[in-house]
Each structure stands twice: as C-alpha cells, then as structure tokens.
C-alpha cells in the first residue's frame, strides 16, 4: 500500500494522484490526440499543477506513454484473472472472446487512444520495452488453449496463436472503432444494447467455427 502523508489537511498519496492523472489524461488524449491534448486541461481536471504533472511524467509525451502502458497493463491483468489455463479449451476460447469484446465496449475511449497511437505509427508504444513481456503473456495463453484443444480433438491442429488472437482482437476492436461510420453508412448503431449483444454472439460463433476441429 502506498504511503500517505497529510500536509495542510490534505492527504498526499503520490500513487493515487498519478493514477488519477493517468485516468483523466486517457480521456484527453483519446478526445484530442497527442498533438491536441493540453496539459493545462489535465492539470485543471485533476486539481494538480502542470509542474506536478511534469514532475511525475517529465513531459506530455511521457504522460502519454504512461497512459498507453496503463491501458495494456490493466488489459493483461484482467485477462490473467480469467484463469483460462484451468478451463476446457473451447470454454476458455469462448470466455477470452467474450472478455475481449466486453472490454473494448466498456473502454471505448481507450480504443480511440489506440487509434491515435496507430496514426502516429506506434512511435510512442515502441519506446515502452516492458510491453514486450507484458503482451507476450496473452499469446502464451492462446498457445496453451490451442495446444490443449488440439490434444483433446476439440480444436484443429496447426492454429497459429498470434493469428488467432489478432483475429479476435480485430473483430472486437472494429465494433467500437467503426461504430460511427457503420451507423452513417448502414444505419446500424453498434453501440445500441441489442446490437452489442448480437455482435458479441456472432463474433464468438465465428471464432468457434474457425478454431473447431468440426468446422
């Protein structure tokens, strides 16, 4: 637990302050992009100062990188909490798809943040070396599901773990990233509860059929 101290009647908790800054900054970067985001707006919303933000994160770019890292850290931690290695392969696969879909729907602002980073060609995320080990965990998890699924005869042999996860992520990501253009072009609101539920089942079934030995 982070140490806290009281100064002038106000609790000083650096870790909580940093977490709050990252949360507010995520919305700012998602809405305005890296170039359009303003540190003074983030400082005002977090009741801190620009000086304090620079003390913790060194620069706006440093804060942006911290936001990116926080997103992937929370995502991977939540994935690990599913404990998929102790579940039957096809059950584990279904739960992973459902979780990935729900996580994107519930964190739409972070989807926009990832879009921002792709506009910048992944330059900032490439400066986060710790992400390699952090993100490799999900591929190991999918590899284990594929191995156990092939051994039990439930899943076809030869599935590439990366390709499988990339397909899951792409299907789930698209439902949020393209919801506005899909509504404008096809008149379908992918954010509507009935559409969210329907798309979720379609994606689960697509992945199941792709991976199943009986497809």
């Amino acid at each position: 637990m982070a140490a806290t101290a009281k100064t002038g009647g106000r609790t000083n908790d650096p870790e909580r302050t940093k977490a709050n800054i990252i949360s507010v900054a995520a919305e700012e970067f998602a809405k305005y992009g890296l170039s359009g985001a303003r540190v003074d707006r983030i400082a005002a919303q977090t009741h801190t100062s620009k000086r304090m933000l620079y003390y913790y994160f060194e620069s706006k770019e440093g804060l942006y990188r911290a936001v990116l890292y926080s997103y992937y850290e929370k995502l991977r931690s939540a994935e690990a909490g599913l404990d998929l290695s102790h579940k039957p392969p096809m059950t584990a696969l279904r739960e992973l798809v459902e979780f990935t879909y729900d996580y994107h729907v519930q964190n739409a602002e972070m989807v926009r943040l990832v879009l921002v980073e792709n506009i910048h060609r992944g330059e900032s995320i490439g400066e986060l070396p710790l992400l390699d080990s952090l993100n490799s965990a999900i591929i190991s998890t999918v590899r284990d599901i594929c191995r156990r699924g092939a051994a039990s005869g439930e899943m076809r042999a030869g599935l590439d773990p990366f390709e499988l996860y990339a397909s899951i992520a792409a299907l789930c990501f698209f439902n949020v990233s393209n919801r506005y253009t899909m509504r404008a072009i096809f008149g379908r609101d992918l954010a509507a509860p009935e559409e969210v539920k329907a798309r979720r089942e379609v994606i689960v079934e697509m992945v199941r059929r792709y991976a199943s030995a009986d497809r």
Side-chain angles (χ1 to χ4, degrees):
M1 180 179 294
T4 61
K6 288 190 176 181
T7 304
R10 184 178 62 184
T11 299
N12 180 22
D13 186 339
E15 292 307 313
R16 181 178 296 178
T17 299
K18 289 170 67 175
N20 185 42
I21 292 171
I22 288 173
S23 177
V24 171
E27 296 182 15
E28 177 77 10
F29 287 122
K31 185 175 183 179
Y32 298 104
L34 176 56
S35 60
R38 294 291 178 265
V39 173
D40 54 355
R41 279 198 296 257
I42 298 170
Q45 291 182 60
T46 55
H47 305 290
T48 56
S49 64
K50 292 174 67 174
R51 181 179 178 181
M52 180 65 72
L53 265 65
Y54 290 133
Y55 173 77
Y56 284 133
F57 303 102
E58 297 185 356
S59 63
K60 182 171 78 169
E61 290 73 21
L63 175 55
Y64 175 70
R65 288 192 294 271
V67 169
L68 284 173
Y69 185 83
S70 176
Y71 164 68
Y72 284 104
E73 183 179 43
K74 290 178 180 178
L75 172 59
R76 300 310 174 211
S77 177
E79 287 170 342
L82 297 173
D83 194 24
L84 299 178
S85 64
H86 294 97
K87 297 175 181 177
M90 290 303 286
T91 298
L93 183 61
R94 179 184 182 91
E95 289 190 13
L96 177 60
V97 177
E98 291 174 338
F99 164 82
T100 305
Y101 183 86
D102 293 344
Y103 196 89
H104 283 81
V105 170
Q106 294 162 10
N107 295 275
E109 74 283 356
M110 299 309 297
V111 170
R112 292 191 293 272
L113 186 71
V114 173
L115 289 172
V116 168
E117 180 59 10
N118 276 281
I119 289 173
H120 290 278
R121 302 175 185 269
E123 293 174 355
S124 294
I125 206 168
E127 297 179 20
L128 296 172
L130 291 177
L131 277 185
D132 291 342
S133 58
L134 189 67
N135 289 323
S136 63
I138 185 58
I139 302 303
S140 296
T141 296
V142 176
R143 181 178 294 109
D144 177 66
I145 293 173
C146 291
R147 178 188 59 78
R148 292 189 295 112
S152 68
E154 297 174 73
M155 297 170 63
R156 60 190 179 91
L159 285 169
D160 184 307
F162 171 78
E163 293 294 345
L164 179 56
Y165 181 73
S167 297
I168 293 170
L171 289 167
C172 296
F173 189 91
F174 178 91
N175 194 69
V176 178
S177 67
N178 288 48
R179 60 172 51 164
Y180 300 111
T181 52
M182 293 293 281
R183 182 174 62 189
I185 295 170
F186 298 109
R188 299 282 290 269
D189 183 4
L190 299 185
E194 64 275 12
E195 289 283 1
V196 169
K197 182 179 179 180
R199 283 295 301 162
R200 187 179 194 261
E201 286 305 310
V202 167
I203 292 171
V204 167
E205 183 62 11
M206 289 177 68
V207 174
R208 187 196 69 78
R209 292 193 182 193
Y210 172 77
S212 176
D214 300 324
R215 64 184 185 135

